[in-house]
Amino acid sequence: MPSQHLPSHQRQRGFSLLELMVVLFMIGMLIGLVSVINIRFDAASELQDYAEDLYEQLRFGADEALFGGEHIGLVPQVDIGEDDKEHWQLAWHRFRDAEWQSLDTLPPIKTPEFVEITIEIDNEPVDLYRWLEFEKPVPVLTFYGGGEALAGTIILSLDEQSAREVDDFESRYVHMDISEIGRVRWRERADQAELLAEGR
């Protein structure tokens, strides 16, 4: 029996090896692009989340100083992170009996592995390693019992590796005015006292 030949338009044609390789390459490129976009978003958003959490901790410290009527400060310390590298942390201390004492009721402020912290006083960066040389703890930033705060700035920035993944330059940094936190808490306390005096 003679074999039947299908018309050319009905013949089934498979993918060649070259075509499969091109398709797989394009899929790989798309997956890589999506991963990079996610990394960029996560690094910037996690920095912002950490900054908001840090701000709340600083506000709480300002409250402790204001309502307790005693000076509370942050002492720089070196902490070994999960990556076995040194990272800065700020430990709370209070001034009592003519010396700075550890304040165990407030947990230390730790910096994530992807965040670098810089502190400026009067617009000049502070060498935190100098604080490690003091025999007794000395705060680099202080909230005073009267409601004020030392005029300083905390600058949070992404580390070099994470910063490469964020195109928006402004998203790589967060600035916090410590003196402004002190003034805000002092004004809120003054407003509350005024309302109480008026019997509201």
Side-chain angles (χ1 to χ4, degrees), residues 115-198:
V115 173
E116 296 178 354
I117 186 169
T118 303
I119 296 177
E120 291 184 353
I121 305 295
D122 296 329
N123 297 321
E124 292 292 333
V126 173
D127 181 7
L128 295 180
Y129 284 100
R130 286 184 53 202
W131 264 255
L132 301 179
E133 300 173 359
F134 297 140
E135 294 182 1
K136 294 183 178 181
V138 177
V140 64
L141 294 170
T142 305
F143 293 101
Y144 299 105
E148 306 86 2
L150 181 68
T153 303
I154 291 181
I155 302 173
L156 304 176
S157 59
L158 293 173
D159 63 11
E160 184 177 353
Q161 180 178 355
S162 300
R164 290 198 206 102
E165 308 297 339
V166 179
D167 291 332
D168 183 11
F169 183 81
E170 293 184 357
S171 298
R172 303 176 185 178
Y173 299 90
V174 176
H175 290 70
M176 292 186 184
D177 186 350
I178 303 303
S179 58
E180 181 61 27
I181 294 176
R183 286 195 293 270
V184 168
R185 307 312 284 163
W186 183 87
R187 284 199 298 267
E188 291 177 356
R189 174 71 180 274
D191 292 342
Q192 292 172 2
E194 183 178 349
L195 291 175
L196 289 174
E198 295 176 357

Side-chain angles (χ1 to χ4, degrees), residues 24-77:
L24 291 175
F25 175 77
M26 293 178 65
I27 292 175
M29 290 288 290
L30 289 174
I31 293 175
L33 180 61
V34 171
S35 299
V36 169
I37 292 174
N38 287 336
I39 290 174
R40 289 177 179 173
F41 173 78
D42 289 342
S45 62
E46 286 184 16
L47 176 64
Q48 188 62 42
D49 289 344
Y50 173 72
E52 292 174 0
D53 180 64
L54 173 59
Y55 184 80
E56 290 303 318
Q57 293 185 67
L58 294 175
R59 282 172 60 98
F60 190 80
D63 281 342
E64 286 285 309
L66 184 60
F67 293 108
E70 59 183 357
H71 307 331
I72 293 180
L74 290 165
V75 176
Q77 296 176 345

Side-chain angles (χ1 to χ4, degrees), residues 74-100:
L74 290 165
V75 176
Q77 296 176 345
V78 172
D79 178 52
I80 304 300
E82 295 180 358
D83 56 355
D84 294 329
K85 295 181 180 179
E86 292 185 352
H87 300 275
W88 287 108
Q89 71 175 18
L90 301 173
W92 290 101
H93 286 65
R94 63 184 173 191
F95 192 74
R96 182 174 289 184
D97 298 329
E99 65 178 0
W100 288 99

